[in-house]
Amino acid sequence: MPSPVSADRPAAQPPGRGAVEALISQTRRLKGDVDAVRRDARSGGSDPEDRWQRALCDLALHQLDDLDAHLAQLRDGPAPTGTTTDTADQAAADTGNTTDAPDTVSAPSAGPEGPRHESLLSRVGSAEWNLLTDEASWSGELYRILGLEPASPALTLDELPALVVEEDRPKLTSMVTDCLVDARSIDGEFRVVRPDTSVRTVHMMGEPVLGEDGSTASMWAVLRDVSELRLHRRTVLESSDSVRRHRRQDRTERRLAAEVQEAVLPAWTGSLRLPHGGPRALDLAARHLPAATPGLIGGEWYDALELGDDTTLLSVGDLTGQGVAATSGMAMVLGAVRGMAMAGTSPGRLLSLLSQLLDTAAQPALGSALCCHYRPETRTLVWARAGHPAPLLFRDGTGRVLQAPDGAPLGVTPNAAYGQAEVTLEPGDLLLLHTDGLLSGHPGTTVMDRLLGLAPRFTRTSTAQDGLRTVVEEFGGTERVDAACVLVAKVTG
């Protein structure tokens, strides 16, 4: 650290102005780039990640502002003792160290807590305490940092602690003692209470000045007001903590949602024949296809269940939303579907009761569903839908969409009624049920365009598992935006 300038020494000349000017220009260009990033981050809303990015940008801008001001001081030399606020601000203007950008440091604005954004040239002051004469010499900037009148006498080392917050006084005493007694450099922070009762954080760096006999003759220090910097750093830390908590919460919710989904969806893989042992059974295969974006776990489901009269229940559906709320709602809905089907409730009536359940639940939800009953003795399929894609029937190399009265989505209309349709199936028919997410990520296409176009390929499949594999090959790629469920049933016997 350079020796302090005393009264009987000539003033030091500013170093290499050309090099410093180049650094100032680079700093200001960088400030403009960071400010552009900050404006983009501010458009991101209130997400913790966005708040964290904005806080980091604010901190970076604050530090670049300080660097700009310090380089200006390095170029122009220290301001003389007794510099007033207007003089310091004019010096900043003369060096081009002002900015009209919003939320950047500007001229001071008075308030109950002191200047909110002070001229950066006033944030660094210097002092020298002569131990032989007990005299103190301060720069004009130091008076402003401590909120004292420039005409008042500089405080001695014994008087300085009176301005310091009581809890920080031992820290200041220790730093000064280490410097004067052990000739150690000073590098630490403490808080001061200004006459207007505002509290500022001051960073002090200094070193002893040795006399001819090697003893400490004086102590020289640079004091910097770092209150705004600490505020920005605290904001960054708090925002970073919020981001980490948010991420931990997201990971926990995704894990719970995945566990609920895994526990509720049917555990069978490969092919399933229902009813068991019947001559006219359905050969079944189903798959849950996750979304291309990891972590998007919704309330979609598929199900196949043998009922008491050898009738087979087939159902697919989807609740709105993501995460634990959606999967727990799906678990409730799927349990209700199974219970009502086991009690003999027809598909149309079942959907009506299901819609009432969602409408009156503690956390109302919306959704769509498709419910089918297959009677093997007559090979008839009775079905109803609530705002859901209709089943697709493939026979002899062609496919068609089964027609039935549409119904409102679940949970939309109280006491909604749902019509039913009936179709007779034939051996070799392939029935395809799916949720909306199957075709997400395929803009400009419809169910018939994509799915009915698979009919020729289905003619070459002998099992439901083969048919499911065909669908997955066509729609199981990474371009799918939403998760989906697919259920394939092939009529045997």
Side-chain angles (χ1 to χ4, degrees):
M1 183 178 292
S3 300
V5 177
S6 61
D8 57 352
R9 298 187 197 139
Q13 296 300 315
R17 293 178 62 92
V20 176
E21 286 283 5
L23 289 173
I24 290 175
S25 298
Q26 292 177 13
T27 300
R28 291 175 183 172
R29 284 195 298 270
L30 184 57
K31 284 165 57 179
D33 293 340
V34 175
D35 190 52
V37 174
R38 179 184 63 169
R39 286 194 296 270
D40 289 342
R42 284 192 169 181
S43 65
S46 59
D47 184 86
E49 191 84 27
D50 296 323
R51 291 197 298 270
W52 177 60
Q53 292 178 358
R54 291 195 297 270
L56 284 176
C57 288
D58 289 338
L59 177 60
L61 280 174
H62 183 92
Q63 292 174 318
L64 288 171
D65 282 335
D66 276 359
L67 176 60
D68 190 1
H70 296 161
L71 289 172
Q73 284 185 305
L74 181 63
R75 179 190 61 189
D76 300 332
T81 301
T83 300
T84 63
T85 300
D86 294 338
T87 303
D89 291 339
Q90 185 59 47
D94 293 341
T95 61
N97 189 40
T98 59
T99 176
D100 294 328
D103 297 331
T104 55
V105 177
S106 58
S109 57
E113 298 180 358
R116 178 177 178 86
H117 294 297
E118 300 182 39
S119 171
L120 286 170
L121 289 175
S122 70
R123 288 184 177 168
V124 179
S126 61
E128 184 174 4
W129 289 275
N130 192 310
L131 302 182
L132 303 180
T133 64
D134 200 27
E135 293 178 344
S137 176
W138 287 6
S139 69
E141 292 88 353
L142 185 54
Y143 283 93
R144 290 195 60 201
I145 290 174
L146 301 179
L148 301 176
E149 292 294 332
S152 62
L155 301 182
T156 67
L157 288 176
D158 291 333
E159 295 170 331
L160 183 62
L163 296 179
V164 178
V165 173
E166 185 174 357
E167 305 94 273
D168 293 352
R169 290 175 188 172
K171 184 190 303 183
L172 175 62
T173 301
S174 176
M175 289 191 297
V176 172
T177 300
D178 289 344
C179 180
L180 299 181
V181 176
D182 300 327
R184 296 181 183 176
S185 297
I186 292 175
D187 188 353
E189 294 182 5
F190 52 87
R191 292 165 296 166
V192 297
V193 181
R194 294 165 32 150
D196 61 1
T197 71
S198 64
V199 177
R200 309 297 290 178
T201 301
V202 176
H203 181 221
M204 183 165 72
M205 297 183 66
E207 60 184 21
V209 179
L210 303 182
E212 294 181 357
D213 60 355
S215 62
T216 302
S218 63
M219 188 183 82
W220 180 83
V222 171
L223 294 94
R224 181 186 180 204
D225 184 347
V226 295
S227 304
E228 297 294 331
L229 182 61
R230 294 298 170 260
L231 176 62
H232 283 302
R233 284 183 177 174
R234 186 162 57 250
T235 301
V236 168
L237 290 174
E238 291 172 352
S239 299
S240 181
D241 289 342
S242 176
V243 169
R244 285 194 292 270
R245 288 194 301 270
H246 185 73
R247 289 174 177 171
R248 285 197 299 269
Q249 182 179 354
D250 282 348
R251 286 195 296 269
T252 300
E253 288 188 356
R254 285 197 297 268
R255 186 182 69 253
L256 290 175
E259 290 174 353
V260 171
Q261 185 182 72
E262 183 178 357
V264 173
L265 289 181
W268 49 272
T269 57
S271 294
L272 175 70
R273 292 177 65 89
L274 293 179
H276 294 290
R280 296 180 176 183
L282 289 179
D283 178 25
L284 301 169
R287 179 81 63 85
H288 177 268
L289 302 175
T293 302
L296 291 181
I297 301 175
E300 56 278 344
W301 82 85
Y302 65 87
D303 195 23
L305 181 66
E306 182 178 354
L307 305 180
D309 56 356
D310 288 337
T311 300
T312 296
L313 166 72
L314 304 178
S315 72
V316 292
D318 190 3
L319 293 187
T320 57
Q322 301 286 340
V324 175
T327 55
S328 60
M330 178 266 289
M332 176 191 70
V333 167
L334 190 51
V337 169
R338 290 171 175 171
M340 288 187 286
M342 290 295 292
T345 307
S346 64
R349 178 58 177 163
L350 187 152
L351 292 180
S352 179
L353 294 174
L354 195 60
S355 185
Q356 293 181 40
L357 174 65
L358 289 179
D359 183 60
T360 58
Q363 293 182 336
L366 301 177
S368 67
L370 178 65
C371 182
C372 307
H373 282 178
Y374 176 69
R375 301 190 182 103
E377 68 277 6
T378 58
R379 295 196 187 95
T380 56
L381 185 78
V382 179
W383 61 281
R385 60 173 173 162
H388 199 86
L392 295 153
L393 177 61
F394 295 88
R395 178 184 296 168
D396 298 329
T398 61
R400 64 187 177 95
V401 180
L402 296 183
Q403 299 297 321
D406 199 3
L410 299 174
V412 171
T413 305
N415 303 317
Y418 296 89
Q420 296 184 162
E422 182 174 323
V423 61
T424 301
L425 302 180
E426 298 178 4
D429 285 353
L430 187 143
L431 195 66
L432 177 62
L433 284 61
H434 68 91
T435 59
D436 280 325
L438 181 64
L439 296 178
S440 64
H442 297 273
T445 62
T446 65
V447 172
M448 287 186 293
D449 293 333
R450 299 295 300 239
L451 288 177
L452 296 183
L454 298 177
R457 295 170 62 181
F458 286 145
T459 60
R460 298 190 294 271
T461 61
S462 57
T463 66
Q465 189 66 35
D466 292 337
L468 176 63
R469 189 175 300 110
T470 298
V471 176
V472 173
E473 288 174 355
E474 183 71 18
F475 297 100
T478 57
E479 71 276 10
R480 189 179 50 263
V481 177
D482 298 322
C485 287
V486 183
L487 192 154
V488 175
K490 193 169 183 64
V491 181
T492 65

